[in-house]
Amino acid sequence: MINLVLLGVLALTVGGCACVVWAERGGPRWARRVATVTLAGSEFVRRSQKRRNRSGNRTTSGGD
């Protein structure tokens, strides 16, 4: 079951990336909308990762 969920997420990610490339080359309106949603989602993930790093949940390595 988890494999199907992961496969679905992978398919959506690859499809979103393909729409971003297609929209950059002047694709149809729906591809531009999907590209906008994909880029907004990636920006959301990026900002949440930065916020998480600033909150002190970082691990530091003390090795030489």
Side-chain angles (χ1 to χ4, degrees):
M1 181 66 178
I2 190 75
N3 289 337
L4 289 175
V5 172
L6 291 175
L7 188 61
V9 169
L10 180 64
L12 287 172
T13 303
V14 170
C17 291
C19 282
V20 168
V21 172
W22 194 10
E24 282 291 319
R25 296 179 181 266
R29 187 176 294 166
W30 65 267
R32 284 181 257 152
R33 288 184 185 143
V34 173
T36 302
V37 170
T38 302
L39 292 173
S42 69
E43 186 64 28
F44 173 77
V45 169
R46 189 177 310 142
R47 285 185 182 180
S48 67
Q49 188 67 30
K50 283 182 182 178
R51 208 175 306 130
R52 185 191 241 167
N53 286 341
R54 274 190 256 141
S55 69
N57 291 339
R58 295 179 268 182
T59 60
T60 57
S61 62
D64 288 312

